[in-house]
Each structure stands twice: as structure tokens, then as C-alpha cells.
């Protein structure tokens, strides 16, 4: 039976209008639409007017102004340690602050080492009318996550996620990133690829799963003894782990993929300390693409993680939650890419 149309009634869209729809309609980029709707600088007046008109025609709900508001960034102990040792957290914060400046937001950073400190942060944020929402950086602790679920103001996780999907989050696509990296090494002829990691975080576990995925895709064996664990992200621990393995088993691998660039630095040290060359005898590949990776000897092939973008996207996700509309929690994962340098090469041929 054909569906009848009621005169004078306007059909409702079956899905919520997205920024991409407005961008297509006006013929501009997604970033231009985002800046125009946020009231940011850098958009021509005529373009801004067309975007606003298209948003109005499409019944798009423009986010409430957040200018002059505060966002609390609660950083875990792991994030603070990384900030001191490496630069991953540093670049996430740079992207966050750049986006906050464009939106006229103030970022207030608070450290949280345990649930007691988290309670103070939440209590202060709840009582302060100028606080628009909270961002939690590098948090896995279930006790901390539990306390934030159902909080009266929006909460977004950065570089982590909520396994119960009650909190929105932004992170790299860790599993696919490690899959792409391992596939790259396998296509160079490597079949014995160590995975060097520090266990503990779900994000790192997903990198291990991506490493396994690539072996399964190529129908290669992936024995558990190819996983090498260290207790911290220090290069010297990685160097020790690699050199000890070579002493006990010989050079029974042709490549090493590490869960972070700092471990890749140590892996190269360990290989070289045992009298072997990189990449002649062993290819070494990291993940993160920290700036120092390009200045190692040899320069490190690694997976580029969009660190700055993590902060900016998280803030946009938080701002969208302030519209007052009911949105389901979302897990946003950003794509990663290989930064190819000289620490990887074809697998060595058996003697």
C-alpha cells in the first residue's frame, strides 16, 4: 500500500543533520563550517552567512556559545609522567589549547592521582557555574570512570575510552594503527616480529590486538613468546629486554614493533649492543611519531598518531554536548599513518 502524504505537513528527516551535510550544501570544507558555526575568525562574511542560512534551512541545532566558559582538564598520573618524559601529552595539550583559544574557552588543568582527588575536581566543577564540562586525559581506572558516569556536566575522555560506552571519548585508532604497522613489516618479508610493550592500558592492549590481526590476515603463526613486556616506558628497560632475549634465544626475530617510540629507542640500543645492525639485521618500528624519532640513528620508522588533533576533537565533542539535545555517547577514533624512515628494511635472508 502506497504511503499517503498529508498536505501542509513537512516530512521529518530520518537522521540528524550533520556538519558534513551543510558543508556539501554550501560547497565548502568541514572545517570552514565548524569555524563559521562557532563564530570563529577566518571565515568570509558572505560564506558565513551562507553557512548559517544552510544550517537554518536544515534545522541544524547550532551549539550554544561557550565563549568565556571554563573546561576542566583532569590529567591522570600516567599523563603527567608522560608530560615530563615524552611529548605525547604535550602535543595533545597544545591542540586542546589552540582549539580552546579559538572558541574563547579557558582550560583549567587539574592532576588526579586517585579517586579522592577526582572527587574534589568533580565537586569543584559541579559548584562552579562557569565550568562548561570536563575532559579526562589518559584515564583507565574503573573507579574514576564510574564516578564520572552520570555527572551533571558533559565529560569527554581523551586518549582512553569507557568500556561501558556511557562516556564519549576521543583516541587514536590504536588497533588499526598497529595492524597497519605489522602489515607493513610483513610485506617487507618479516615473519618473526617481536611486539615490545608495557602492559596495563586498554589502548596498548588494542595495539597488541592489531599486531595479532595482521598475522592472522597473512595466515602466519603468532606465538605468545613474540610478546616482550617491560615494566615502564624507559628506553633502557627496552634495551635490556631485547639484549637479554638475544642472549637466551639468539637472534630469533627479524623485526621489532614497539607500542611507543621510547621503547623503539631502547630496542635499537639493545640490538646494536649485541653487535647487530638496524635495519640490516633487525628492523625496528615505533608508534607515536614523536619529533625525536626523525633524529635517531637510524631515523625511526613509526606510526604517526594525530596527537594535536586528539585535543581539538575532544573539545569539539564536549562543545556539541552543550546543545541540550540528547546525544548517545560516542567513541571517536582518529586514523593514523606510517612515517617511513630508515630503521626498517627487507627481512634478512637466512644464513
Amino acid at each position: 500500500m502506497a504511503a499517503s502524504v498529508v498536505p501542509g505537513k513537512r516530512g521529518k528527516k530520518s537522521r540528524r543533520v550533520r556538519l558534513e551535510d551543510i558543508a556539501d550544501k554550501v560547497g565548502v570544507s568541514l572545517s570552514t563550517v565548524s569555524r563559521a558555526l562557532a563564530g570563529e575568525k577566518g571565515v568570509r562574511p558572505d560564506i558565513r552567512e551562507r553557512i548559517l542560512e544552510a544550517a537554518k534551512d536544515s534545522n541544524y541545532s547550532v551549539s550554544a556559545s561557550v565563549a568565556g566558559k571554563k573546561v576542566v582538564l583532569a590529567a591522570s598520573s600516567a599523563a603527567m609522567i608522560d608530560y615530563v618524559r615524552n611529548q605525547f601529552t604535550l602535543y595533545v595539550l597544545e591542540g586542546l589549547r589552540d582549539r580552546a583559544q579559538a572558541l574563547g574557552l579557558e582550560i583549567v588543568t587539574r592532576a588526579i592521582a586517585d579517586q579522592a582527588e577526582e572527587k574534589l575536581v568533580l565537586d569543584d566543577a559541579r559548584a562552579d557555574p562557569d565550568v562548561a564540562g570536563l575532559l579526562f586525559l589518559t584515564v583507565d581506572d574503573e573507579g574514576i570512570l564510574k564516578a564520572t558516569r552520570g555527572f551533571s556536566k558533559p565529560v569527554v575522555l581523551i586518549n582512553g575510552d569507557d568500556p561501558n560506552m556511557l562516556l564519549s571519548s576521543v583516541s587514536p585508532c590504536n588497533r588499526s594503527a598497529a595492524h597497519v604497522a605489522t602489515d607493513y613489516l610483513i610485506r617487507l618479508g618479516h615473519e618473526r616480529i617481536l611486539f615490545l610493550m608495557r602492559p596495563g592500558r586498554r589502548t596498548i592492549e588494542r595495539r597488541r590486538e592489531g599486531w595479532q590481526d595482521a598475522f592472522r590476515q597473512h595466515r602466519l603463526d603468532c606465538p605468545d613468546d613474540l610478546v616482550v613486556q617491560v615494566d615502564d616506558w624507559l628506553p633502557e628497560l627496552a634495551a635490556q629486554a631485547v639484549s637479554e632475549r638475544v642472549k637466551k634465544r639468539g637472534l630469533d626475530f627479524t623485526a621489532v614493533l614497539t607500542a611507543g617510540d621510547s621503547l623503539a629507542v631502547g630496542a635499537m640500543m639493545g640490538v646494536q649492543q649485541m653487535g647487530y645492525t638496524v635495519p640490516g639485521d633487525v628492523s625496528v618500528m615505533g608508534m607515536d611519531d614523536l619529533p625525536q624519532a626523525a633524529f635517531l640513528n637510524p631515523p625511526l620508522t613509526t606510526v604517526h598518531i594525530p596527537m594535536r588533533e586528539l585535543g581539538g576533537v575532544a573539545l569539539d565533542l564536549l562543545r556539541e554536548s552543550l546543545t541540550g539535545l540528547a546525544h548517545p555517547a560516542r567513541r571517536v577514533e582518529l586514523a593514523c599513518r606510517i612515517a617511513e624512515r630508515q630503521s626498517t628494511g627487507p627481512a634478512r635472508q637466512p644464513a
Side-chain angles (χ1 to χ4, degrees):
M1 183 175 68
S4 61
V5 178
V6 179
K9 294 289 186 180
R10 197 174 188 180
K12 293 185 178 179
K13 287 181 176 291
S14 60
R15 62 184 177 87
R16 188 168 63 87
V17 176
R18 304 174 303 158
L19 290 183
E20 289 89 340
D21 300 321
I22 299 172
D24 290 342
K25 188 172 184 178
V26 181
V28 297
S29 68
L30 183 61
S31 62
T32 299
V33 173
S34 179
R35 291 198 308 273
L37 296 180
E40 298 175 24
K41 298 177 181 178
V43 181
R44 279 175 23 203
D46 60 319
I47 297 294
R48 186 188 306 276
E49 184 176 349
R50 287 169 55 200
I51 290 171
L52 293 175
E53 187 63 29
K56 181 180 178 181
D57 289 345
S58 302
N59 295 322
Y60 181 82
S61 177
V62 180
S63 298
S65 174
V66 293
K69 295 287 187 178
K70 294 186 289 188
V71 169
V72 175
L73 174 69
S76 69
S77 297
M80 299 307 293
I81 291 171
D82 177 83
Y83 183 82
V84 173
R85 289 183 183 171
N86 301 308
Q87 294 171 301
F88 187 100
T89 299
L90 172 66
Y91 287 113
V92 172
L93 292 177
E94 281 191 358
L96 177 62
R97 285 167 179 156
D98 287 348
R99 188 69 180 137
Q101 184 177 15
L103 296 173
L105 278 166
E106 177 187 355
I107 301 295
V108 179
T109 303
R110 298 278 297 272
I112 52 168
D114 52 38
Q115 293 179 40
E117 290 184 353
E118 181 203 24
K119 184 177 184 304
L120 290 175
V121 170
L122 292 177
D123 288 344
D124 291 346
R126 184 184 293 108
D128 188 344
D130 290 333
V131 171
L134 298 94
L135 302 171
F136 279 76
L137 177 59
T138 313
V139 171
D140 281 317
D141 184 89
E142 175 55 30
I144 291 178
L145 292 178
K146 184 177 180 181
T148 61
R149 297 180 184 125
F151 188 65
S152 58
K153 296 181 179 182
V155 175
V156 173
L157 308 179
I158 307 176
N159 195 33
D161 58 54
D162 179 7
N164 293 342
M165 281 300 295
L166 297 176
L167 298 171
S168 291
S169 61
V170 180
S171 67
C173 189
N174 290 292
R175 186 164 184 163
S176 71
H179 185 174
V180 167
T182 309
D183 178 75
Y184 168 83
L185 291 170
I186 291 173
R187 292 181 187 280
L188 285 173
H190 299 280
E191 296 186 1
R192 294 280 295 177
I193 305 168
L194 296 187
F195 186 69
L196 184 57
M197 63 180 288
R198 182 195 177 183
R201 298 206 66 223
R202 282 191 297 275
T203 54
I204 302 305
E205 181 61 24
R206 291 205 176 95
R207 293 183 181 186
R208 185 187 66 82
E209 292 167 353
W211 168 80
Q212 291 177 317
D213 290 344
F215 277 94
R216 294 191 184 103
Q217 177 185 341
H218 288 272
R219 298 185 178 182
L220 296 173
D221 290 335
C222 184
D224 291 340
D225 68 353
L226 286 178
V227 178
V228 178
Q229 298 185 0
V230 292
D231 295 330
D232 207 341
W233 294 99
L234 300 173
E236 51 265 34
L237 294 181
Q240 180 181 359
V242 170
S243 60
E244 287 181 354
R245 182 186 177 93
V246 174
K247 289 175 184 177
K248 292 178 181 178
R249 300 172 176 246
L251 198 61
D252 66 336
F253 56 93
T254 64
V256 182
L257 174 64
T258 70
D261 284 352
S262 61
L263 297 185
V265 173
M268 288 202 294
M269 291 167 52
V271 168
Q272 292 164 346
Q273 287 169 3
M274 296 306 297
Y276 296 103
T277 63
V278 177
D281 296 306
V282 178
S283 288
V284 176
M285 188 169 183
M287 295 188 72
D288 288 337
D289 195 19
L290 298 175
Q292 58 265 36
F295 300 100
L296 298 173
N297 184 23
L300 180 67
T301 295
T302 184
V303 178
H304 177 80
I305 304 296
M307 295 172 278
R308 286 187 175 90
E309 289 83 352
L310 288 174
V313 171
L315 200 54
D316 283 338
L317 195 57
L318 182 72
R319 180 170 62 95
E320 190 172 326
S321 301
L322 299 173
T323 59
L325 300 175
H327 297 299
R330 280 163 291 172
R331 180 177 294 160
V332 178
E333 294 188 332
L334 304 187
C336 307
R337 59 177 174 80
I338 292 175
E340 187 174 9
R341 300 191 181 98
Q342 286 75 54
S343 67
T344 52
R348 69 176 188 275
Q349 298 301 311

